[in-house]
Amino acid sequence: MLRKLIKYEFKATARIFLPLFLAMLFLALLNGLFMGPNVGGENSVITTLRSILLFVYIVVIFSLFIVTLVITIQRFYKNLTGDEGYLMFTLPVKTSSLICSKLIVAVIWELFSILVTLASVFLLFLRESRFYGEFWEGFSRFWEESRRLFGTSFEAFLWLAAASVLIAAVVSILQIYTAIAISQLFREHRALIAIGSYFGISIVIQIVSSMLFMTSFLSRIDGLVSSVEITAEGAAGVAPVFELINAVMPGMMILDAVVGVAFFLVTNYIFKKRLNLE
Amino acid sequence: MEWELKSDRPIYLQLMEQIQLRIVSGGYPAGSKLPPVRDLAAEASVNPNTMQKALSELERGGLIYSQRTSGRFITEDEGMIQTVKIGLAKEQIKAFFERMQQLGYSKEETVSLLEQAMKEGK
Amino acid sequence: MQPILQCSHLSKHFGYLRALDDVTFSLERGRIIGLLGPNGSGKSTLIKLASGLLVPSQGEILVDGQKPGLETKLQVSYLPERTYLNNWMRVRDMIDFFGDFYSNFDKAKAFEMLRRLNINVRDRLKTMSKGTKEKVQLILVMSRNADLYLLDEPIGGVDPAARDYILNTIITNYNENASVVISTHLIADVERVLDDVVFICNGKVTLTSSVDDIREGQGKSVDALFREVFRC
């Protein structure tokens, strides 16, 4: 049933995202066509057009990320706690599947938004084909240099960074879900309570994590930093910097994941046992 | 013929009466097949259970019989239909006399009024 | 046979409000049951408990012997007071949706009922009137071969023609093994189709009876009895 829920969630959201993605790529393409070095010369009409196009393109990029956030909130709030909730919560599916389907689809759109934005940037240099070669060259050089300097720890760092970005994305969405779920425990001013809970949760997490950081991590970091200083004198150079980061990152990720699981459990509990649709 | 039902008497009794009326007036001819319960219920806008009850009661009286596979039929016994018809007519007459009595007419006076009305009607 | 719905000492509180208070009764299969009571008497709360939208505070509610959950949600077909249709969908999408999630949904039946109402399945729900949407929703709910239909105020605020259509749809579409619960405060409009009634007032069940027993035993319509019992 989770697969079917995901299918419908995609159907409900694709009609907004796909046109936006297309618009963005199309605008990037237009910008690319007008941005070449010899296009239009000193023609003022072309110059104006060029700046307008660039402006619209940037606006679309910003709106895409706002829309991603709004849709994430709206699909959860409206579809589960509004009138449509009467349909969703009487389907023969588990409450956890409902939450998971929303979460998975929201994360996927978030990733796609980033990817499409990056792809559109490449389209901007359409008329300067040299750019692609230079970019690739620079990138490969950077890659090799980094690997030579930092060894395998650099690669590990990239993987860890990607994983932690993903976890952070999931947890931040779950925080929104939890705030909405908490608002359902009250009979009035639900929207306001949801916003309040969101910031409340943020503050609590800030306090707790900084306390944890102070007490446990700092001591460990001291040890690691001193080891860096010793080896830094050696030929390995700055390689241990990444070893240091790599050592700390899994701990942060686990902490993040624990918070995420807690968010999920709270949301699931409220929707399962304390649900009271308007 | 429309189904007329009131809410202060059991619906199945009223359905029985109206089906009987249809049978004696030839609306449902002797030996013909009755529509399915569901269709009858929908036509009268009543619960199929209620229609079912009315039909079973009529079956017990013998005016309707059912064949397991092919449904319900009106009895082929014209005599029985005639008997029911006379019974219904007698009920009507009895009720009529009662109402006339309430107006203060004796049976004899009522009959002479009837005869007078029939002559005027011609 | 096991009752299709069984409540024992069922209570539901919202804070200090006792929406349902120690309710015990059961409903048989194959009946059309009126859940009758004034506004705010606890009708919707009872229906939401049976459909699994609410969890009891105390006591127990069983659908076909089971607590509301995945299994019973497949058996129960629920028509809420609100329209829950996704506005961006077409009627056909909604039918596919029901077909996907409910194995007992009869698509052919739904298409036939829509055709008779001249509703185009390619129409978007956004463009439809409130009345048409309510009919589409009723068709979706009644096209499921469920064991228990829970209809919350299906005839509240509709015109007489629509009311007749709705009642006819209900009586022609349930099967002999299923029961239909119709909650309403408009008793005169529905009493012709009811087998049994449950009177509910201030969260308590005050009477459960067959409709014929009321008419034969008391010589009055359910509507008249209701007006007597709930006189203000």
Side-chain angles (χ1 to χ4, degrees):
Chain A
M1 285 298 186
L2 180 62
R3 270 178 58 192
K4 287 179 187 166
L5 285 170
I6 290 175
K7 182 179 99 183
Y8 278 97
E9 194 56 28
F10 264 120
K11 262 192 178 176
T13 44
R15 72 205 167 86
I16 296 155
F17 280 108
L18 293 184
L20 256 176
F21 287 169
L22 280 179
M24 193 152 101
L25 292 173
F26 179 70
L27 272 164
L29 191 74
L30 272 185
N31 272 297
L33 288 175
F34 278 92
M35 277 227 275
N38 309 317
V39 180
E42 294 299 304
N43 187 331
S44 63
V45 180
I46 298 278
T47 327
T48 323
L49 195 64
R50 194 186 291 168
S51 28
I52 289 174
L53 274 175
L54 192 63
F55 176 73
V56 175
Y57 170 68
I58 292 166
V59 168
V60 169
I61 290 184
F62 274 108
S63 54
L64 176 65
F65 284 91
I66 292 165
V67 165
T68 311
L69 180 68
V70 170
I71 294 288
T72 301
I73 296 170
Q74 191 228 26
R75 280 301 299 168
F76 197 79
Y77 192 73
K78 197 165 156 245
N79 191 240
L80 292 185
T81 72
D83 287 351
E84 290 167 24
Y86 282 85
L87 174 63
M88 301 311 287
F89 282 110
T90 49
L91 290 177
V93 298
K94 285 190 197 142
T95 306
S96 56
S97 303
L98 288 173
I99 302 170
C100 283
S101 65
K102 306 269 176 225
L103 179 64
I104 291 167
V105 173
V107 170
I108 289 174
W109 283 127
E110 213 166 277
L111 295 180
F112 264 109
S113 298
I114 295 167
L115 285 178
V116 172
T117 309
L118 289 179
S120 77
V121 171
F122 275 89
L123 282 177
L124 290 178
F125 300 94
L126 205 64
R127 286 203 166 238
E128 295 175 77
S129 45
R130 268 185 312 143
F131 165 79
Y132 299 108
E134 278 170 16
F135 177 83
W136 182 243
E137 218 170 275
F139 181 77
S140 333
R141 206 181 312 133
F142 167 75
W143 182 254
E144 273 160 32
E145 203 68 7
S146 304
R147 284 192 64 176
R148 197 180 56 78
L149 263 174
F150 308 124
T152 48
S153 64
F154 180 69
E155 220 167 307
F157 164 76
L158 285 182
W159 282 113
L160 280 172
S164 74
V165 165
L166 191 67
I167 290 177
V170 170
V171 173
S172 69
I173 292 169
L174 279 168
Q175 186 178 346
I176 295 171
Y177 291 177
T178 308
I180 291 172
I182 289 172
S183 74
Q184 297 302 302
L185 297 172
F186 299 86
R187 305 208 80 182
E188 279 163 45
H189 313 298
R190 285 180 165 172
L192 257 161
I193 290 168
I195 295 168
S197 327
Y198 182 83
F199 288 111
I201 295 169
S202 301
I203 291 167
V204 170
I205 286 179
Q206 272 298 317
I207 293 170
V208 172
S209 64
S210 55
M211 270 162 57
L212 273 177
F213 190 75
M214 299 281 208
T215 51
S216 70
F217 282 129
L218 277 185
S219 55
R220 269 185 75 195
I221 283 171
D222 268 347
L224 283 159
V225 168
S226 52
S227 74
V228 171
E229 280 166 352
I230 295 161
T231 45
E233 293 160 1
V238 286
V241 171
F242 284 103
E243 271 167 30
L244 168 66
I245 295 171
N246 289 354
V248 176
M249 236 171 12
M252 307 266 258
M253 279 161 61
I254 289 169
L255 209 64
D256 230 15
V258 168
V259 172
V261 170
F263 282 156
F264 184 86
L265 292 177
V266 168
T267 308
N268 194 46
Y269 170 79
I270 292 174
F271 280 165
K272 224 173 149 180
K273 301 282 182 190
R274 306 289 300 275
L275 185 71
N276 182 19
L277 294 175
E278 266 180 276
Chain B
M1 211 162 104
E2 288 286 313
W3 298 85
E4 271 178 40
L5 303 166
K6 297 201 172 71
S7 294
D8 51 358
R9 291 173 57 221
I11 304 280
Y12 78 93
L13 287 178
Q14 302 178 57
L15 291 174
M16 280 174 68
E17 290 164 5
Q18 295 190 27
I19 295 168
Q20 275 182 339
L21 205 61
R22 283 161 199 234
I23 293 172
V24 299
S25 66
Y28 295 147
S32 69
K33 188 173 188 281
L34 264 177
V37 181
R38 268 176 185 279
D39 295 4
L40 277 175
E43 204 187 298
S45 307
V46 297
N47 188 323
N49 291 334
T50 314
M51 186 57 84
Q52 178 73 39
K53 190 171 175 186
L55 293 177
S56 324
E57 291 291 316
L58 286 173
E59 241 174 77
R60 279 209 302 188
L63 208 53
I64 289 174
Y65 68 96
S66 67
Q67 277 185 340
R68 246 167 219 290
T69 47
S70 44
R72 282 195 175 77
F73 293 85
I74 313 297
T75 181
E76 280 150 19
D77 184 349
E78 299 273 4
M80 179 188 278
I81 294 174
Q82 209 53 39
T83 317
V84 171
K85 191 170 182 175
I86 292 166
L88 285 176
K90 280 182 178 167
E91 267 174 41
Q92 289 291 322
I93 291 165
K94 198 179 152 210
F96 175 64
F97 276 132
E98 269 167 20
R99 254 175 280 146
M100 291 305 280
Q101 205 178 0
Q102 282 170 353
L103 286 175
Y105 291 103
S106 71
K107 281 190 183 168
E108 290 72 24
E109 285 167 327
T110 307
V111 172
S112 65
L113 272 175
L114 257 179
E115 280 168 350
Q116 207 179 318
M118 279 172 68
K119 273 178 207 153
E120 279 167 11
K122 272 182 187 170
Chain C
M1 201 162 43
Q2 180 148 249
I4 186 67
L5 186 73
Q6 209 172 356
C7 304
S8 53
H9 303 292
L10 179 68
S11 297
K12 179 69 191 178
H13 311 151
F14 297 111
Y16 292 109
L17 178 76
R18 287 169 176 268
L20 274 184
D21 193 6
D22 196 23
V23 164
T24 300
F25 71 97
S26 62
L27 302 178
E28 299 303 317
R29 281 178 180 266
R31 314 285 279 177
I32 299 183
I33 300 125
L35 181 62
L36 311 178
N39 285 326
S41 53
K43 302 186 298 278
S44 287
T45 303
L46 184 60
I47 285 186
K48 283 184 185 176
L49 284 163
S51 61
L53 278 178
L54 291 174
V55 178
S57 304
Q58 273 154 33
E60 197 175 49
I61 185 164
L62 299 176
V63 175
D64 199 24
Q66 285 183 303
K67 284 191 181 175
L70 276 192
E71 295 278 312
T72 67
K73 283 179 180 176
L74 188 59
Q75 287 177 289
V76 170
S77 192
Y78 167 56
L79 181 79
E81 267 184 280
R82 295 161 178 263
T83 44
Y84 55 46
L85 304 170
N86 293 284
N87 258 333
W88 54 272
M89 282 190 178
R90 294 170 197 275
V91 179
R92 178 186 288 281
D93 299 327
M94 220 49 227
I95 287 177
D96 288 339
F97 185 92
F98 267 66
D100 249 4
F101 285 102
Y102 295 111
S103 50
N104 53 15
F105 184 74
D106 186 343
K107 277 193 188 182
K109 198 174 184 178
F111 280 127
E112 170 61 20
M113 287 162 84
L114 289 165
R115 194 188 55 77
R116 258 187 281 148
L117 274 183
N118 289 322
I119 294 175
N120 190 336
V121 292
R122 282 187 295 275
D123 282 353
R124 279 185 193 281
L125 290 155
K126 198 172 11 189
T127 62
M128 292 183 168
S129 72
K130 191 167 173 282
T132 312
K133 272 192 219 169
E134 282 171 357
K135 282 179 191 155
V136 170
Q137 193 160 311
L138 180 76
I139 287 173
L140 290 168
V141 167
M142 294 311 295
S143 297
R144 284 181 53 201
N145 291 311
D147 292 308
L148 180 62
Y149 298 88
L150 300 170
L151 314 177
D152 201 355
E153 296 281 0
I155 53 163
V158 302
D159 60 87
R163 184 198 60 208
D164 286 350
Y165 173 78
I166 291 167
L167 290 177
N168 252 314
T169 306
I170 294 167
I171 58 177
T172 48
N173 282 291
Y174 90 106
N175 64 60
E176 296 84 34
N177 272 324
S179 278
V180 183
V181 174
I182 303 174
S183 101
T184 186
H185 59 280
L186 306 165
I187 291 135
D189 289 340
V190 296
E191 70 165 276
R192 267 168 88 177
V193 305
L194 300 179
D195 289 305
D196 302 313
V197 290
V198 175
F199 277 18
I200 184 167
C201 184
N202 291 328
K204 288 187 180 286
V205 167
T206 55
L207 172 83
T208 53
S209 168
S210 92
V211 171
D212 281 344
D213 283 352
I214 291 176
R215 293 193 184 117
E216 255 163 319
Q218 316 224 15
K220 53 181 73 127
S221 68
V222 178
D223 190 37
L225 180 68
F226 182 85
R227 281 165 205 266
E228 248 171 61
V229 173
F230 294 110
R231 179 170 295 146
C232 300

